[in-house]
Amino acid sequence: MTEVAEYVEVHRHPEPTSFISKWIFSIDHKVIGIQYILLAIVAVFIGMGLSLLVRLRLVWPEKSFAILGDLFPIGAPDGVMTPEFYLAMLTMHGTVMVFMVLTTAPQGGFGNYFLPIQIGAADMAFPRLNMLSFWTTFLSFCALMVAFLVEGGAPISGWTAYPPLSALNAAAMEGTGQDWWIISIALFCIASLLGALNFIVTTLELRAKGLTMMRLPLTVWTWFVTAILGLLAFGVLLAAGILLLLDRNLGTSFFIPGGLVVNDQLVNHSGGSPILWQHLFWFFGHPEVYIAILPGMGVTSHVLATFARKTVFGYKAMVYAILAIGGLGFVVWGHHMFMSGMSPYSAFVFSVLTMCIGVPSAIKTFNWIGTLWGGKIRFTTPMLYAIGFVSLFVTGGLSGIFLGQPTVDLWFHDTYFVVAHFHLIMGVAAIFGMFSGLTFWFPKMFGRFMSEGLGRIHFWLTFIGVYAIFGPMHYLGMIPHPRRYAETTGVDFLAAGGANEIQYFITIAAMITITAQFLFLFNFLWSLFKGKVCTEDNPWEATTLEWAIPSPPPHDNFAGKIPTVYRGAYDFSLPNAKRDFAMQCNSDEMVFPRSSGD
Amino acid sequence: MATTLTPPLAADGVKHEETQPSVGGGGFPPPARPRDGGGDGSDRPDPVAQAVFRYKLGTWVGIAGIVMVFAAFTSALVVRSGLSGDWVAVELPRVLWLSTALLLISSLTIEKAKRLLRRGVGVRQWLTVTLGFGVLFIGSQWFGWRALAERGIYVSSNPGSSFFYLLTAAHAVHILGGILALSYAVIRVWRPGVWVTRQAAVEATAIYWHFMDALWVYLLLLLMFWR
Ligand code: HEM
Ligand SMILES: [Cu+2]
């Protein structure tokens, strides 16, 4: 055997033996992937708990909840939540969800686990860096949790941390909560940058022989483009965070204007611009929403093709759409700032560019439907979640088109209409992508299936639940019900529009939907130990490389033999083939019966 | 015996002893770029060249990330300076010219080290010299900050000084990272180790260090001319 060929067969790091090197400080991309997923699961339940508090306060502003009084004697004296407490819970809900859930699990979790396997690599390009990314993310999570515990409590300026509120130490709630928030976000940025670097180099350099870019599974494409977005976006947030930290602690005035009076005190700053923060934040923020959703799109394409037994409709168009979304995502941030006093000309430009993003989004949607069209559909739970993703993406995307018009946004900005928009499309659609990915890959990762029955019940409860929660919010936004107010029950025009009853309905729906998530958690944990055993490598009859190796995969993925790739990622229902699918590592001789002439 | 590229951990000592020479330890850098980088298509990629390329690519990608951080700072500076009448440009301390000279020279010395890789002699010495210049640069910057402080100009004095401290400090932090990388490269060249090949360590560090140099020149010009 030649040296080179043998190199290919050499595994890059030996299997660790101690518990710590195997499960804690692991450099194995699969373990790190699972660590990210577990972190996201912990975070998502915390985030959900916070949202419950938010919903309770909205509907029963004066009601006393005894446990809260014990848990948060300052934020909820005698169990009645203060308005600041409401804002703090809201801020932490958004931050935990956007950063610790939507940015970790789809990319750091599933991406880490499956990107190397799907490209036929033994690991990421830089395994130690990978470990560093995870542990920095973990530190970031801890720093965020510290914000709950410090004096003055968690920050109240929302997940977007708009100054001056976020920049003033003397603001309503004094304390270091906001500083911990910034530290957490800064750490998160660093971790994400390191992760992005790793993903990019891995995708470019470690592909198996024969695996050209245009043969990559769409999941890999989305992880790759997400990494590029992260690389270019997180640095900007990091920079903005540092400026904010300086404003808060070293007396600079980047974001704080002069002549500001807070709590009857003249603030000793001058000349800064809160709008500058908005620009920096949204330059990051809009790519960030795509960072959250792109991996979900990849999983959806992957799962739809697998269970419709059809190749992805318009694979190339899908790739170009992913690239277009990624590229355009950097030039539309102004649509979050139509109301910031920007010139109508800029608003117009941002609006047109925003509409442009609808085109690749629509291409993707049509291609998903095209993939389903005429397929021999197998309604497994991952498939249900993937279809749910498409539904939610369409609903959420349509409201985006409204918001993208400056004149319409005049009315809708900072109302519940926006809340409905981004929850459906970013929050819930991305989460459905994760549900789909987790149920789809669970047998590969853990060698057992998740329960289909529980999965179905959970799907329907959640699918109907989220529409019940976020559907009516569109109407609330039209009244127009502003977002981020702790107490609106006494406002006449809202009450006249029926807001109180609707908010009540939404809170009940939220409680039911939140309860349903414990079903998923139970399904996950139960299936880990008691689920139906998966003995096959390829239980779903899928085509990509992760299904060519045992479930769960051995430590070195391909047992030292890097596969060669012969075909695109979605060869289903090939005419004349022996089976209705051909795996990427199957050569033509393996796929087609020998012709008689041979 | 297999040519392991990123050879196994120390636990696997035997393997790594044997393989070291062909890993660039002997210092014969293979062609910079294998015929076709990714797995796709190339029949026989040169594994050593591929590993070196991987580290260099990683460095370039990292640089793209850092560029975005400083691009954000720059745009903040541009916006902030045009905003209110309170902008006072900082009179740059003289010692910054010394810093600049130190950093420019260090770029030459690391380039020298890189070029010597092929022959394998003197690499460590030139890297160490570069490291020395890096430390001196930080020292020189320190005097720059001191000089400003003596004039009574602090971070919060006015937006111009805020940005001065911010940009120089942010750059210094990245230089510290470079110093770490250099230290690693020195150790690496001196003692064939386990994780990264010699050549990868030196070449990636060189790219980063040159970038730090260019970044500094850019920041200097920005601070000098954006008034
Ligand atoms: C057709 C595509 C889309 C259009 C035209 C669009 C348009 C908009 C506009 C104009 C706003 C600002 C509304 C306001 O604050 O007044 C907005 C907010 C938002 N969008 Fe979209 N959007 C689209 C897709 C998406 C996607 C795919 C995601 C995430 C996956 C997303 C996530 C968000 C979030 C998180 C916010 C609100 C942030 C906040 O204020 O807290 N959007 N969108
Ligand atoms: Cu946006």
Side-chain angles (χ1 to χ4, degrees):
Chain A
M1 198 174 264
T2 68
E3 269 192 354
V4 173
E6 223 173 317
Y7 154 67
V8 170
E9 301 216 346
V10 168
H11 178 49
R12 312 187 38 211
H13 41 78
E15 187 157 359
T17 41
S18 77
F19 179 80
I20 292 199
S21 60
K22 190 164 180 180
W23 292 110
I24 312 287
F25 294 107
S26 171
I27 54 173
D28 180 344
H29 70 103
K30 297 186 289 298
V31 176
I32 296 174
I34 292 175
Q35 287 172 328
Y36 268 111
I37 292 173
L38 292 181
L39 175 67
I41 291 180
V42 171
V44 82
F45 277 88
I46 294 175
M48 248 170 20
L50 296 171
S51 72
L52 184 64
L53 294 180
V54 168
R55 289 307 318 174
L56 292 178
R57 160 84 206 191
L58 278 171
V59 178
W60 295 288
E62 253 94 69
K63 195 172 157 76
S64 166
F65 301 93
I67 341 161
L68 285 181
D70 299 338
L71 281 175
F72 307 101
I74 303 171
D78 303 324
V80 183
M81 291 180 247
T82 63
E84 289 82 4
F85 183 77
Y86 163 85
L87 287 175
M89 297 303 110
L90 185 67
T91 301
M92 295 301 273
H93 162 73
T95 310
V96 166
M97 289 302 199
V98 171
F99 292 97
M100 304 299 160
V101 180
L102 297 179
T103 317
T104 55
Q107 182 81 355
F110 294 114
N112 244 315
Y113 199 111
F114 287 105
L115 182 133
I117 306 187
Q118 288 191 334
I119 64 173
D123 205 318
M124 284 287 196
F126 308 111
R128 274 167 202 82
L129 195 68
N130 204 11
M131 175 175 88
L132 189 65
S133 305
F134 172 75
W135 285 103
T136 310
T137 309
F138 183 75
L139 265 187
S140 150
F141 177 74
C142 295
L144 194 61
M145 293 302 111
V146 171
F148 278 117
L149 308 175
V150 292
E151 212 186 317
I156 58 171
S157 56
W159 81 278
T160 53
Y162 276 11
L165 185 55
S166 63
L168 292 173
N169 258 325
M173 270 190 168
E174 287 180 50
T176 52
Q178 186 78 51
D179 297 301
W180 283 99
W181 184 93
I182 300 172
I183 291 168
S184 162
I185 296 305
L187 286 172
F188 194 88
C189 290
I190 294 169
S192 305
L193 287 170
L194 298 179
L197 187 162
N198 220 340
F199 273 66
I200 293 172
V201 177
T202 306
T203 313
L204 290 177
E205 282 298 295
L206 297 191
R207 277 169 289 125
K209 198 178 143 202
L211 189 54
T212 58
M213 290 303 270
M214 277 318 204
R215 281 178 174 176
L216 286 179
L218 286 172
T219 41
V220 175
W221 265 111
T222 52
W223 288 319
F224 177 58
V225 173
T226 301
I228 296 176
L229 294 187
L231 184 76
L232 300 178
F234 275 108
V236 176
L237 181 64
L238 179 60
I242 292 170
L243 296 180
L244 192 60
L245 204 58
L246 293 180
D247 266 7
R248 288 180 60 80
N249 295 301
L250 294 185
T252 57
S253 304
F254 297 112
F255 303 127
I256 309 177
L260 207 59
V261 177
V262 176
N263 290 348
D264 295 329
Q265 276 180 332
L266 182 65
V267 173
N268 184 23
H269 285 269
S270 70
S273 161
I275 304 288
L276 174 59
W277 167 268
Q278 295 194 17
H279 278 291
L280 292 174
F281 184 86
W282 288 117
F283 184 87
F284 151 80
H286 191 85
E288 162 64 20
V289 305
Y290 284 103
I291 289 173
I293 197 90
L294 274 173
M297 293 177 164
V299 170
T300 299
S301 304
H302 203 73
V303 168
L304 288 185
T306 305
F307 294 112
R309 314 308 297 164
K310 277 181 64 187
T311 187
V312 166
F313 186 87
Y315 173 89
K316 273 196 181 152
M318 287 302 231
V319 171
Y320 296 137
I322 293 169
L323 291 170
I325 288 177
L328 284 170
F330 278 104
V331 291
V332 299
W333 78 91
H335 66 213
H336 296 273
M337 301 168 58
F338 288 147
M339 292 290 280
S340 67
M342 68 162 47
S343 123
Y345 298 107
S346 326
F348 175 74
V349 172
F350 278 122
S351 171
V352 170
L353 288 166
T354 301
M355 295 301 124
C356 289
I357 257 200
V359 175
S361 310
I363 291 178
K364 292 198 74 77
T365 307
F366 285 122
N367 285 357
W368 286 323
I369 295 170
T371 305
L372 287 173
W373 195 267
K376 296 190 275 298
I377 297 180
R378 300 176 182 173
F379 282 105
T380 58
T381 36
M383 183 66 160
L384 289 180
Y385 290 121
I387 295 174
F389 177 100
V390 177
S391 158
L392 292 158
F393 184 75
V394 171
T395 320
L398 285 177
S399 53
I401 304 288
F402 289 84
L403 294 171
Q405 326 270 352
T407 41
V408 182
D409 191 52
L410 223 63
W411 184 263
F412 281 143
H413 180 64
D414 261 349
T415 68
Y416 271 86
F417 194 89
V418 179
V419 179
H421 161 67
F422 72 75
H423 274 92
L424 282 178
I425 198 157
M426 174 157 96
V428 197
I431 296 235
F432 268 58
M434 288 184 238
F435 285 147
S436 180
L438 196 58
T439 43
F440 179 66
W441 281 313
F442 196 87
K444 180 55 63 185
M445 297 166 79
F446 303 110
R448 289 174 187 275
F449 289 95
M450 284 179 75
S451 155
E452 283 279 314
L454 286 179
R456 259 161 233 270
I457 300 172
H458 170 261
F459 167 80
W460 284 110
L461 284 176
T462 310
F463 188 68
I464 297 171
V466 293
Y467 271 115
I469 296 171
F470 299 112
M473 285 191 191
H474 294 94
Y475 169 76
L476 282 182
M478 293 177 203
I479 299 181
H481 194 318
R483 66 193 272 215
R484 289 182 173 160
Y485 280 81
E487 196 160 339
T488 52
T489 42
V491 180
D492 290 344
F493 81 94
L494 294 178
N500 292 343
E501 291 75 24
I502 293 174
Q503 291 284 32
Y504 181 84
F505 170 81
I506 291 176
T507 296
I508 301 297
M511 285 153 112
I512 297 173
T513 314
I514 288 175
T515 313
Q517 302 320 302
F518 287 91
L519 204 60
F520 191 87
L521 185 67
F522 172 76
N523 191 353
F524 177 79
L525 294 175
W526 183 82
S527 306
L528 268 183
F529 303 102
K530 292 274 155 69
K532 195 176 93 188
V533 177
C534 168
T535 48
E536 295 158 73
D537 292 354
N538 190 4
W540 307 122
E541 304 192 298
T543 51
T544 42
L545 292 180
E546 77 268 34
W547 302 106
I549 57 177
S551 329
H555 173 70
D556 53 357
N557 294 352
F558 294 93
K561 288 198 194 61
I562 298 298
T564 302
V565 168
Y566 296 95
R567 54 189 70 249
Y570 302 105
D571 271 356
F572 289 101
S573 306
L574 290 180
N576 306 328
K578 292 186 212 160
R579 299 184 294 187
D580 89 322
F581 67 102
M583 299 188 73
Q584 289 195 278
C585 52
N586 293 161
S587 64
D588 278 353
E589 293 94 85
M590 294 162 79
V591 174
F592 299 104
R594 273 163 183 271
S595 62
S596 48
D598 268 1
Chain B
M1 183 58 226
T3 306
T4 50
L5 177 42
T6 348
L9 290 170
D12 224 356
V14 192
K15 218 180 223 173
H16 119 128
E17 281 310 338
E18 273 179 62
T19 56
Q20 200 51 45
S22 51
V23 178
F28 291 98
R33 178 80 165 90
R35 191 157 47 78
D36 189 1
D40 58 306
S42 79
D43 274 344
R44 194 142 308 193
D46 176 340
V48 179
Q50 242 186 5
V52 173
F53 183 77
R54 189 187 312 151
Y55 279 91
K56 282 160 64 171
L57 181 66
T59 310
W60 281 114
V61 174
I63 286 175
I66 297 174
V67 164
M68 288 309 290
V69 177
F70 283 89
F73 282 146
T74 306
S75 67
L77 181 149
V78 170
V79 169
R80 182 64 180 83
S81 68
L83 215 60
S84 334
D86 58 353
W87 183 270
V88 185
V90 171
E91 210 51 59
L92 298 187
R94 288 260 188 83
V95 70
L96 292 197
W97 295 110
L98 175 65
S99 307
T100 311
L102 288 169
L103 206 53
L104 286 174
I105 298 174
S106 74
S107 238
L108 296 179
T109 54
I110 199 166
E111 189 62 24
K112 180 80 184 161
K114 197 183 93 184
R115 303 232 164 132
L116 284 175
L117 256 184
R118 188 176 289 274
R119 272 201 276 142
V121 286
V123 179
R124 178 159 54 101
Q125 285 79 352
W126 283 105
L127 283 179
T128 316
V129 170
T130 314
L131 185 62
F133 276 114
V135 174
L136 286 178
F137 172 82
I138 296 280
S140 173
Q141 295 293 79
W142 176 256
F143 282 110
W145 293 320
R146 284 268 305 273
L148 272 194
E150 269 160 29
R151 278 194 250 147
I153 301 176
Y154 301 100
V155 190
S156 57
S157 301
N158 68 69
S161 69
S162 305
F163 273 104
F164 176 85
Y165 282 101
L166 170 75
L167 293 175
T168 49
H171 177 261
V173 168
H174 285 87
I175 284 280
L176 287 179
I179 287 179
L180 278 185
L182 271 171
S183 319
Y184 179 70
V186 169
I187 298 172
R188 215 51 215 77
V189 170
W190 172 44
R191 271 202 46 181
V194 276
W195 294 354
V196 187
T197 70
R198 241 171 228 204
Q199 202 199 344
V202 174
E203 294 204 356
T205 308
I207 293 175
Y208 182 78
W209 198 259
H210 287 321
F211 167 65
M212 278 302 116
D213 197 358
L215 180 64
W216 171 249
V217 172
Y218 163 74
L219 292 177
L220 194 69
L221 294 176
L222 183 69
L223 290 169
M224 259 166 59
F225 292 111
W226 194 273
R227 329 198 115 236

